[in-house]
Amino acid sequence: MPLLAIGINHKTAPVSMRERIAFAPDRLQQALRELVADGAAHEAAILSTCNRTEVYCGLAHGDHQDVLQWLSRYHAIPAAELSPFLYVHPEQDAVRHMLRVASGLDSMVLGEPQILGQVKDAYQTANAAGTLDTQLERLFQHTFAVAKQVRTDTSIGASPVSVAFAAVSLARQIFDRLDGRTALLLGAGETVELVARHLREQRIGRLVIANRTLERAHALAVEMQGYAIGLAEIDAHLAEADIVIAATASPEPLVLAEPVRQALKKRRHQPMLMVDIAVPRDIAPAVGELDDVYLYSVDDLQEIIRENLRSRQAAAEQAEEIIDTQVAHFMAWQRAQDAGHLIRALRRQAEAIRDELLAKGRTQLAQGRDPLQVLEQLAHQLTNKLLHAPSAGLREASAQGDADTVAMLSALYRLDETAPPRP
């Protein structure tokens, strides 16, 4: 099945489009089953994060247009509106893209480690949905091994650069010192956990962690020496927050303009920094229009991130060399699988010829024919039938002056033209 990677990311689409095509985590398995049932793909996995939504699949038939049309129908976005933001990577390019993504080479933050965990989540979701077959299963396992090799053999992950780190760096630029400040974190996933760790390293005064599941918020708050609340309590704690960093999977904004306006009054208009890392957005865009609020989306972190990339460029070049080699290894495996199908077909054909002639030989023996004569005739007929197709092909290629086919058959059958004919 032809491989395909199709999607959008932070390089090709603004956050307003990325949030429209994002998949809710609790809908992913069903979406995958619908994609395969639709007939556009034989096997599929979907990677959906704040910076990208990508479909990796083995095509059942046709080309990427079938997958594009399914995406269009699923998200109710006209294909003509979606197409300009999409990239399409077939076959070898799809393999290279997945390896680069998992190794952090295609991330907003070069070399960031969180993406590998997200790729693993995509694999586990597709596995649970039952939409993986041999080719994608092998590609994911190969990808995990290559990403580990990149981390081990290069220094691409040596410096603490990530979207979470960039958000905390922004807070330091605005407030200079973070001790004595209060940070309100929305969500309790991996990104928020990383934000919390960076904030603790910067000696943040107080941490408040809000999450839909209070138990998860409490577990993270205990570890980070913070305070846990439910999402319904966010508005009541906004006035305390100097810094709000949001990264939930909520389909609707959790922070609206009016509660922030009321919080600013209670704060006597002391400034608030709000960083929205979520896609779809957790903080309504109208909040950014309020005085004394500094609202940054994930796209706004680009400049901060660029400043932290220089040390990783040499490591990235080394990683690209590793990926070039590993793409070649995977494609060699894929070609071997294709050859395997041909080998099995060739063997089935030869066995059918053998069985046919063996049945005739047994009949002749049962009729009393001389066993030696039957054996010699069987060997003669078997040789003729097995060599008929390649001999005919060789004669035809020679007559047409097709030197490549002649050379291929000579190599395939390991023919030595210098050997003397048998007497």
Side-chain angles (χ1 to χ4, degrees):
M1 300 290 177
L3 275 173
L4 177 74
I6 180 171
I8 66 174
N9 63 17
H10 60 283
K11 299 176 184 176
T12 68
V15 66
S16 57
M17 174 55 73
R18 298 203 306 273
E19 64 186 359
R20 291 175 65 189
I21 200 175
F23 287 84
D26 59 352
R27 290 296 315 278
L28 261 179
Q29 286 192 37
Q30 183 60 33
L32 285 165
R33 295 189 187 105
E34 290 176 14
L35 171 58
V36 172
D38 184 73
H42 167 71
E43 55 178 336
I46 295 174
L47 174 62
S48 187
T49 74
C50 60
N51 285 329
R52 69 181 66 246
T53 292
E54 297 175 338
V55 179
Y56 295 91
C57 56
L59 293 177
H61 55 77
D63 57 22
H64 74 275
Q65 290 293 335
D66 294 328
V67 182
L68 167 59
Q69 293 299 327
W70 178 82
L71 278 170
S72 172
R73 290 193 301 272
Y74 187 89
H75 290 290
I77 304 173
E81 183 180 350
L82 181 58
S83 291
F85 301 102
L86 284 173
Y87 44 82
V88 178
H89 299 304
E91 292 287 15
Q92 180 170 313
D93 291 339
V95 176
R96 183 182 306 279
H97 185 71
M98 182 183 280
L99 297 187
R100 295 187 77 254
V101 168
S103 299
L105 298 181
D106 195 59
S107 298
M108 180 181 291
V109 181
L110 181 64
E112 61 98 355
Q114 287 78 21
I115 186 63
L116 178 57
Q118 292 165 335
V119 173
K120 289 181 177 179
D121 289 343
Y123 164 75
Q124 291 168 355
T125 300
N127 195 37
T131 59
L132 293 181
D133 205 348
T134 304
Q135 188 168 225
L136 275 185
E137 171 72 34
R138 174 77 178 206
L139 178 55
F140 271 107
Q141 297 304 326
H142 189 68
T143 296
F144 301 150
V146 172
K148 181 179 180 180
Q149 182 184 357
V150 167
R151 292 282 163 187
T152 302
D153 295 354
T154 76
S155 59
I156 196 164
S159 53
V161 183
S162 65
V163 171
F165 184 79
V168 175
S169 297
L170 184 59
R172 287 189 60 198
Q173 289 179 28
I174 290 177
F175 293 110
D176 188 25
R177 295 167 59 91
L178 300 186
D179 53 330
R181 301 289 180 178
T182 294
L184 171 59
L185 308 184
L186 310 187
E190 187 175 350
T191 299
V192 167
E193 180 178 347
L194 192 57
V195 168
R197 293 188 186 282
H198 288 312
L199 286 171
R200 294 303 304 173
E201 289 171 1
Q202 298 301 320
R203 302 181 184 277
I204 188 70
R206 183 167 177 256
L207 273 177
V208 180
I209 299 172
N211 193 52
R212 189 175 306 280
T213 305
L214 188 57
E215 290 79 5
R216 172 60 184 147
H218 180 71
L220 182 57
V222 168
E223 184 180 356
M224 298 297 165
Q225 301 176 359
Y227 177 70
I229 63 173
L231 294 184
E233 302 175 76
I234 290 174
D235 290 353
H237 289 268
L238 280 174
E240 307 167 22
D242 301 293
I243 303 162
V244 178
I245 299 178
T248 79
S250 172
E252 302 293 338
L254 299 173
V255 179
L256 303 178
E258 185 55 33
V260 176
R261 184 181 290 109
Q262 296 301 321
L264 287 168
K265 288 182 180 179
K266 294 179 182 178
R267 291 172 58 83
R268 298 186 180 182
H269 296 279
Q270 294 181 54
M272 297 175 69
L273 167 65
M274 294 189 168
V275 183
D276 193 347
I277 307 175
V279 176
R281 284 173 280 198
D282 281 337
I283 302 173
V287 172
E289 300 173 8
L290 299 175
D291 292 337
D292 304 311
V293 171
Y294 300 91
L295 175 60
Y296 293 83
S297 73
V298 67
D299 289 348
D300 296 325
L301 299 180
Q302 288 271 22
E303 187 56 40
I304 299 170
I305 289 167
R306 289 192 196 99
E307 295 175 4
N308 296 309
L309 294 181
R310 296 187 184 93
S311 64
R312 297 194 174 194
Q313 292 301 330
E317 293 175 7
Q318 186 181 358
E320 294 283 10
E321 293 177 2
I322 293 173
I323 286 173
D324 286 344
T325 300
Q326 294 299 334
V327 168
H329 287 173
F330 183 84
M331 299 310 294
W333 171 85
Q334 189 181 57
R335 287 191 296 271
Q337 301 310 296
D338 295 337
H341 296 307
L342 291 174
I343 291 169
R344 286 189 290 273
L346 180 63
R347 182 172 292 277
R348 284 194 299 270
Q349 184 184 63
E351 289 172 347
I353 293 172
R354 176 204 64 194
D355 293 344
E356 177 191 354
L357 295 178
L358 188 58
K360 288 182 179 179
R362 284 172 174 161
T363 299
Q364 291 172 347
L365 289 173
Q367 293 172 348
R369 294 281 300 274
D370 178 26
L372 183 59
Q373 186 180 11
V374 171
L375 187 61
E376 288 178 346
Q377 184 178 0
L378 176 64
H380 179 72
Q381 291 177 336
L382 184 62
T383 301
N384 284 345
K385 282 184 173 289
L386 289 177
L387 292 180
H388 173 72
S391 297
L394 185 57
R395 279 193 295 269
E396 183 179 348
S398 296
Q400 295 176 354
D402 186 352
D404 289 341
T405 299
V406 171
M408 180 196 69
L409 284 169
S410 178
L412 185 63
Y413 283 90
R414 293 175 170 82
L415 303 179
D416 184 358
E417 296 180 356
T418 64
R422 295 180 61 185

